[in-house]
Amino acid sequence: MSSISNMDHLSHWNQAHRDENYLLLLHLAGHTRLVVDFQDVYIEGCAVHCLLPGQVHYGMFMQDASAWVLALDAVRINENHRAVLAAFAISHQAMSIPPAKGELLRDSLLLLGALGNEYADNTDDQTLHSMLDVCIGQFVAACQQDQQFEEQSALRPLLITRQFRSLLMVSFRDMKSPSAYAAALNISPSYLNEAVKDTTGHPVSYWIHQEIMLEAKRMLFYTNNTVKEIAHLLGYTDTFYFTRLFTKTTGMPPLQFRTNSRK
């Protein structure tokens, strides 16, 4: 269901890896640098950050850092919270929070850990679930503490865009057309495209290709699969078409990206 770890105790934190869980990071002090999906993330002082399932990440350094990580199955996070965390995570920026809030969240995590030990033989206990919901709620509130972000989140185009991006992250292998996402969200393709373009500056097709090629980059970096195998796993039977699309989107052929990213 969930696990809590002090980052000092994560022996593999500086090795490139990917998890199937959400990772909610509470950073209390010091300096940390992570690389998440080929983007640098700098965390300083008291802050929160989130990593999504499937993101390839590794730590570069920690200096006088104190940090905790809460790992969660996706089923433990409700749809609205997942949308907020997804929108926050893709910015690749940590959110600074007041030290008092950081200490409260730390104490909540410690209590959750204690309850986890107490109910180790009964992980369905309602007390444990309620405490987990409290911790998740605090993380989500910290991610949304920017008042402007909260005000914007009430706008329907932004809500639609967040729903689309959340759906895209779990469906990009099977759903590759804007009309498929519009149908899943019960809106017209033209309205979905208008909402996404007004909110992000790019049409739906752009984000579909970006998500697919991001997963291709992860696989090129993290696995030894051939380009043909990667294309097949991402739903492309035509390897040449996949290679052209990757080159157009990324600016270099797949094998060149693999070589450059592993240097």
Side-chain angles (χ1 to χ4, degrees):
M1 181 181 69
S2 66
S3 64
I4 303 169
S5 303
N6 189 308
M7 283 186 64
D8 293 340
H9 300 151
L10 297 179
S11 59
H12 66 291
W13 86 280
N14 59 349
Q15 301 171 8
H17 60 286
R18 61 193 304 180
D19 299 283
E20 296 306 315
N21 301 319
Y22 283 78
L23 301 180
L24 307 185
L25 169 63
L26 170 63
H27 193 272
L28 293 172
H31 304 266
T32 298
R33 177 189 171 197
L34 306 173
V35 176
V36 182
D37 283 343
F38 318 103
Q39 301 267 354
D40 286 338
V41 177
Y42 296 93
I43 310 176
E44 181 178 4
C46 194
V48 293
H49 191 54
C50 173
L51 300 180
L52 305 176
Q55 289 189 304
V56 173
H57 59 280
Y58 57 94
M60 294 296 290
F61 70 79
M62 294 179 69
Q63 181 179 357
D64 301 323
S66 173
W68 296 81
V69 176
L70 175 61
L72 291 166
D73 292 339
V75 294
R76 287 301 306 145
I77 308 175
N78 68 49
E79 182 179 350
N80 289 335
H81 285 172
R82 286 200 301 268
V84 172
L85 293 174
F88 173 60
I90 60 179
S91 71
H92 295 289
Q93 294 181 354
M95 175 71 75
S96 295
I97 61 174
K101 286 189 177 181
E103 292 173 4
L104 179 60
L105 184 47
R106 177 202 59 198
D107 292 343
S108 298
L109 292 175
L110 292 174
L111 179 54
L112 176 63
L115 290 172
N117 292 332
E118 177 71 20
Y119 297 102
D121 296 328
N122 184 19
T123 56
D124 290 329
D125 184 86
Q126 188 57 48
T127 302
L128 184 59
H129 284 196
S130 296
M131 191 64 220
L132 180 58
D133 289 339
V134 168
C135 291
I136 296 171
Q138 287 185 80
F139 265 104
V140 171
C143 295
Q144 285 187 295
Q145 71 172 357
D146 186 335
Q147 185 63 35
Q148 182 180 3
F149 181 86
E150 290 183 354
E151 291 174 354
Q152 289 179 342
S153 66
L155 299 176
R156 181 161 171 75
L158 183 58
L159 289 173
I160 290 174
T161 300
R162 285 167 53 183
Q163 291 172 344
F164 161 67
R165 297 292 297 274
S166 295
L167 179 60
L168 176 61
M169 285 189 296
V170 297
S171 305
F172 63 87
R173 287 182 176 85
D174 305 313
M175 297 169 60
K176 293 184 168 58
S177 69
S179 60
Y181 288 94
L185 295 173
N186 295 313
I187 57 178
S188 69
S190 60
Y191 184 50
L192 173 62
N193 199 61
E194 179 183 351
V196 172
K197 191 170 183 179
D198 286 349
T199 303
T200 69
H202 296 286
V204 171
S205 58
Y206 169 87
W207 291 113
I208 294 174
H209 289 157
Q210 288 295 313
E211 193 68 31
I212 295 170
M213 292 305 118
L214 175 57
E215 180 63 15
K217 290 178 182 179
R218 294 167 178 158
M219 297 175 74
L220 286 164
F221 173 74
Y222 190 61
T223 76
N224 290 317
N225 291 344
T226 66
V227 174
K228 182 177 181 179
E229 290 170 336
I230 291 173
H232 178 74
L233 289 169
L234 293 177
Y236 292 91
T237 56
D238 187 338
T239 305
F240 293 104
Y241 173 78
F242 170 80
T243 299
R244 289 197 301 271
L245 183 60
F246 184 95
T247 303
K248 179 180 178 180
T249 304
T250 308
M252 66 183 75
L255 293 181
Q256 183 181 344
F257 175 85
R258 169 173 278 168
T259 300
N260 291 351
S261 65
R262 291 182 174 182
K263 288 182 180 178

